[in-house]
């Protein structure tokens, strides 16, 4: 039985038994290689669920929809390792209770999607630990390496060029499962920290601030870059932040739901190489 | 006609150590350049990366962020939290291409008036050498709402 069939029948089973009130998964999109999120609430609809290598979006953010989990009922959701990590981060930040979430875990290897064993966020500890080790040995992104080799001036003008295309649509924020603030700092106008017009200065500040707010929380699912209509390589900023917290504080976000947020904790012997 | 470039530097300091250090520099009659504008805050833990961006947005050529040495914080651990934040934000600034001479971080205690005066001298000289933050100033001009410091 293919993984798609496996999860379809599991969804049917859970919905008809009333164990879960909803299954958040992937459905057919506007073209054959696109997928869109679907929210299944009855067993007959379960056949709309699709699972293959084009299912890239991290769906965990949908769990935070207003009131969805407030009735203490359970919801099942399709998640990759990244998705499970963001689930853990959200739980660590008291945004949801993982006991209300059933995970349909999957991974994409080469040209096929595979199921990952486990149902609860806590069941995936070893998979996440393996992902942490793997990230350490992962080769650097080509563009990132090129950037690191540039002079500050060249890097500044690279980002200036990229951010000049930003139209401040905030799709990156909407797509990010970690951007859960009810009121975002950019929506604040007294004081107004970041220019809201879409000129390059405001765009630079917005994107830097966004990357900073995700430091130590981003699971590098890539939702932001995929959502960006201007194709700005936002994941590079997040990647660099993830490199930094891993190297400086050995922090890999989303290990488990009790993990302390890296910027809300400290060690007395943290490195401080650049402080005069 | 070209005017002599005078760097504008904004210093975000904590009131218990670095501000007191700056005060000591003053009462000890130590000379340091008048290019620095000091913003006093309760603790380094209060210094947000947004302040740094805001200073640059208002036309600063350099920013100094300074507080109590680790272990000396009036609030016990505000500076430890600040240190993590700076580590991450500093790395982000480097990656975004803000030259490292432009944004400096330091620990200056209430007894280090001399260190304060010297640091301000060094930073001002460094920035005088590399000149105004032209790239950023161009972006500010584009917004049409330049608000000089």
């Amino acid at each position: 039985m293919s993984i798609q069939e496996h999860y379809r029948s599991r969804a049917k089973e859970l919905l008809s038994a009333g164990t879960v009130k909803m299954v958040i998964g992937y459905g057919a999109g506007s073209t054959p290689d696109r997928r869109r999120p679907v929210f299944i609430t009855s067993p007959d609809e379960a056949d709309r669920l699709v699972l293959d290598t084009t299912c890239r979006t991290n769906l965990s953010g949908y769990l935070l929809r207003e009131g969805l989990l407030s009735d203490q009922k359970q919801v099942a959701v399709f998640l990759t390792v990244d998705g499970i990590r963001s689930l853990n981060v959200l739980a660590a930040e008291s945004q949801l209770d993982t006991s209300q979430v059933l995970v349909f875990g999957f991974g994409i290897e080469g040209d096929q999607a595979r199921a990952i064993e486990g149902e609860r966020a806590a069941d995936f500890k070893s998979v996440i630990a393996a992902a942490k080790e793997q990230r350490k040995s992962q080769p650097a992104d080509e563009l990132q390496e090129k950037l690191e080799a540039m002079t500050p001036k060249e890097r500044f003008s690279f980002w200036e060029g990229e951010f000049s295309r930003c139209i401040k649509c905030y799709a990156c924020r909407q797509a990010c499962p970690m951007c859960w603030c009810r009121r975002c700092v950019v929506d604040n106008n007294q004081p107004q920290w970041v220019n809201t017009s879409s000129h390059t200065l405001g765009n630079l500040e917005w994107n830097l601030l966004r990357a900073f707010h995700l430091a130590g929380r981003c699971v590098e699912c890539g939702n932001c870059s995929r959502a960006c209509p201007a194709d700005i390589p936002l994941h590079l900023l997040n990647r660099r932040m993830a490199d930094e917290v891993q190297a400086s504080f050995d922090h890999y976000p989303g290990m488990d739901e009790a993990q302390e947020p890296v910027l809300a904790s400290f060690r007395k012997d943290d490195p401080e190489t650049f402080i005069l | 006609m070209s005017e002599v470039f005078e760097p504008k530097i904004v210093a975000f300091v904590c009131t218990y150590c670095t501000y007191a250090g700056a005060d000591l520099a003053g009462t000890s009659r130590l000379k340091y350049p008048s290019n620095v504008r000091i913003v006093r805050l309760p603790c380094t833990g209060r210094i947000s990366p947004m302040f740094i961006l805001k200073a640059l947005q208002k036309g600063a050529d350099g920013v100094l962020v300074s507080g109590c040495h680790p272990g000396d914080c009036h609030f016990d651990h505000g500076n430890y939290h600040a240190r993590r934040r700076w580590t991450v934000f500093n790395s982000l600034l480097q990656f975004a291409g803000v030259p490292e001479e432009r944004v400096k971080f330091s620990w200056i205690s209430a007894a280090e008036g001399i260190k304060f005066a010297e640091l301000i001298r060094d930073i001002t000289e460094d920035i005088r050498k590399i000149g105004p933050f032209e790239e950023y100033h161009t972006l500010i001009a584009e917004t049409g709402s330049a608000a000089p410091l």
Side-chain angles (χ1 to χ4, degrees):
Chain A
M1 187 162 56
S2 78
I3 169 178
Q4 178 176 300
E5 289 312 312
H6 168 67
Y7 278 138
R8 270 183 189 174
S9 61
R10 183 85 182 115
K12 258 179 221 167
E13 192 180 305
L14 290 169
L15 284 166
S16 19
T19 319
V20 299
K21 64 167 180 174
M22 182 189 278
V23 176
I24 303 177
Y26 304 92
S30 49
T31 62
D33 57 351
R34 281 170 188 237
R35 296 291 171 258
R36 66 170 49 141
V38 290
F39 306 87
I40 306 287
T41 48
S42 85
D44 341 322
E45 290 177 289
D47 289 331
R48 285 172 61 202
L49 292 168
V50 176
L51 190 59
D52 57 25
T53 54
T54 52
C55 298
R56 297 274 175 185
T57 312
N58 179 353
L59 300 175
S60 60
Y62 291 107
L63 293 167
L64 299 185
R65 279 305 143 104
E66 194 100 17
L68 180 64
L69 297 177
S70 59
D71 57 3
Q72 311 308 315
K73 288 184 183 148
Q74 294 195 80
V75 170
V77 58
F78 282 78
L79 294 174
T80 59
V81 179
D82 295 344
I84 300 163
R85 285 172 58 208
S86 49
L87 192 65
N88 280 333
V89 178
L90 291 171
E93 293 174 355
S94 311
Q95 294 308 303
L96 53 77
D97 183 354
T98 50
S99 68
Q100 273 178 272
V101 183
L102 253 158
V103 177
F104 286 0
F106 71 100
I108 293 168
E109 285 163 33
D111 59 353
Q112 62 174 335
R114 260 173 221 268
I116 319 179
E117 285 299 314
E119 285 234 301
R120 297 290 171 185
D123 302 341
F124 300 92
K125 278 206 167 118
S126 58
V127 186
I128 297 172
K132 177 180 180 178
E133 285 314 305
Q134 202 198 339
R135 192 185 189 286
K136 283 183 186 160
S137 54
Q138 200 179 320
D141 185 285
E142 211 175 292
L143 183 54
Q144 189 183 3
E145 282 205 326
K146 235 168 77 185
L147 275 168
E148 304 276 8
M150 288 179 183
T151 64
K153 214 176 182 126
E154 289 167 335
R155 266 203 301 275
F156 196 91
S157 74
F158 168 84
W159 286 114
E160 197 182 324
E162 293 295 330
F163 294 145
S164 67
R165 297 199 310 277
C166 173
I167 52 170
K168 281 265 179 71
C169 63
Y170 300 131
C172 45
R173 178 180 76 181
Q174 298 313 117
C176 180
M178 294 306 147
C179 276
W180 49 255
C181 290
R182 289 278 177 87
R183 191 166 188 209
C184 176
V185 64
V186 287
D187 298 330
N188 234 332
N189 50 15
Q190 197 69 300
Q192 187 169 67
W193 292 105
V194 176
N195 282 301
T196 45
S197 326
S198 63
H199 43 55
T200 310
L201 180 66
N203 295 344
L204 172 80
E205 287 164 347
W206 154 244
N207 286 290
L208 290 188
L209 216 53
R210 192 190 141 272
F212 178 74
H213 285 178
L214 289 168
R217 310 169 61 232
C218 174
V219 297
E220 299 172 84
C221 64
N223 269 12
C224 50
S225 284
R226 272 193 301 272
C228 182
D231 285 329
I232 300 170
L234 297 168
H235 59 280
L236 288 181
L237 292 166
N238 294 128
R239 221 192 126 88
R240 171 64 190 257
M241 293 288 85
D243 288 346
E244 187 62 40
V245 292
Q246 188 158 22
S248 300
F249 313 118
D250 190 33
H251 183 89
Y252 188 69
M255 293 294 282
D256 57 65
E257 55 188 292
Q259 189 185 32
E260 269 201 312
V262 71
L263 291 187
S265 54
F266 65 88
R267 279 205 333 259
K268 289 195 170 173
D269 58 348
D270 278 337
E272 53 165 55
T273 48
F274 61 94
I275 302 178
L276 301 168
Chain B
M1 197 193 90
S2 67
E3 279 178 40
V4 183
F5 165 63
E6 279 302 332
K8 288 175 184 167
I9 297 162
V10 179
F12 295 103
V13 304
C14 87
T15 184
Y16 292 98
C17 288
T18 305
Y19 190 82
D23 203 23
L24 180 66
T27 49
S28 320
R29 312 257 177 225
L30 296 173
K31 281 208 166 70
Y32 63 87
S34 58
N35 301 59
V36 66
R37 288 117 170 103
I38 296 178
V39 181
R40 178 164 69 147
L41 292 152
C43 177
T44 34
R46 177 67 185 90
I47 299 171
S48 155
M50 287 191 282
F51 297 171
I52 301 173
L53 287 180
K54 195 73 176 174
L56 294 173
Q57 186 192 104
K58 293 286 179 190
D61 302 300
V63 177
L64 170 68
V65 187
S66 182
C68 308
H69 288 272
D72 283 353
C73 181
H74 177 81
F75 301 102
D76 194 46
H77 51 242
N79 53 1
Y80 288 120
H81 283 292
R83 182 166 64 183
R84 281 210 165 183
R85 225 173 289 153
W86 295 351
T87 303
V88 168
F89 193 63
N90 187 42
S91 150
L92 181 61
L93 286 177
Q94 301 309 318
F95 193 59
V98 174
E100 62 180 321
E101 295 86 354
R102 302 264 184 213
V103 183
K104 292 282 189 185
F105 302 86
S106 73
W107 304 130
I108 295 174
S109 81
E112 293 175 321
I114 298 175
K115 182 177 175 185
F116 180 83
E118 279 175 358
L119 188 65
I120 297 295
R121 238 185 336 256
D122 291 349
I123 291 175
T124 312
E125 280 321 304
D126 285 352
I127 291 178
R128 209 186 289 281
K129 253 176 247 155
I130 59 172
F133 199 168
E134 290 294 358
E135 301 97 310
Y136 222 89
H137 293 178
T138 315
L139 295 184
I140 296 170
E142 249 175 53
T143 68
S145 61
L149 277 171

